[in-house]
Amino acid sequence: MEIPAILARILDAHRDQPGALLPVLHEVQEVFGFIPPETVPAIATALNLSRAEVHGVISYYHHFRQEPPGRHVVRVCCAEACQAVGGEALAEHAKARLAGSDVTLAPVYCLGLCACGPAVQVDETQLHAAMTPTKFDALMARLESEP
Ligand code: FES
């Protein structure tokens, strides 16, 4: 199915729902892996919003990607409890380690592992606690070696 047909189905499902923008964006990203830029005008029209309003919400929430993700998506927790135990340095390390790789790095704000941070999530399925740069490198080496 092409993007317009899929988008029309998503918009039809949410059109009359108050505050439909976030559920629509979540579903679009779930289906396509990101928010394709060409979907923004149709989303804006269907929900009676301006394109700028839709863009504003997409860029406000770190969760939404505006480009296709890499083979894996790795989220490093940037919330306070993880920041207090080395999360910021870990995020910097992850950025340098993943530069040019096909792993997409994204921030996340709390993964529920606050007592044993820094926390990292891989592909929305695996959670890793007490992450260090060394453990992060080992984890990325495992991910990148997967077929
Ligand atoms: S603050 Fe990082 S998991 Fe809660």
Side-chain angles (χ1 to χ4, degrees), residues 7-142:
L7 182 61
R9 182 182 54 72
I10 294 171
L11 289 169
D12 281 347
H14 294 280
R15 199 178 296 271
D16 298 323
Q17 181 182 347
L21 181 56
L22 280 177
V24 164
L25 292 175
H26 277 289
E27 198 168 334
V28 167
Q29 181 156 299
E30 201 177 298
V31 171
F32 299 110
F34 71 118
I35 311 290
E38 63 267 37
T39 62
V40 171
I43 292 172
T45 302
L47 302 182
N48 204 19
L49 298 167
S50 70
R51 291 179 192 191
E53 285 172 304
V54 177
H55 271 299
V57 170
I58 293 169
S59 45
Y60 178 78
Y61 289 99
H62 295 281
H63 173 77
F64 296 125
R65 281 187 292 275
Q66 299 183 59
E67 290 165 6
R71 200 156 59 97
H72 296 285
V73 177
V74 171
R75 293 187 165 86
V76 175
C77 180
C78 295
E80 202 172 318
C82 284
Q83 292 286 286
V85 290
E88 199 172 328
L90 179 68
E92 282 303 312
H93 174 83
K95 195 171 161 190
R97 169 64 180 78
L98 296 176
S101 89
D102 67 349
V103 174
T104 297
L105 179 65
V108 66
Y109 292 87
C110 198
L111 292 165
L113 294 172
C114 320
C116 42
V120 166
Q121 183 187 48
V122 177
D123 293 336
E124 307 206 6
T125 53
Q126 301 170 34
L127 288 174
H128 299 269
M131 187 56 68
T132 64
T134 307
K135 284 166 69 179
F136 185 85
D137 288 350
L139 178 63
M140 292 308 107
R142 272 206 311 280

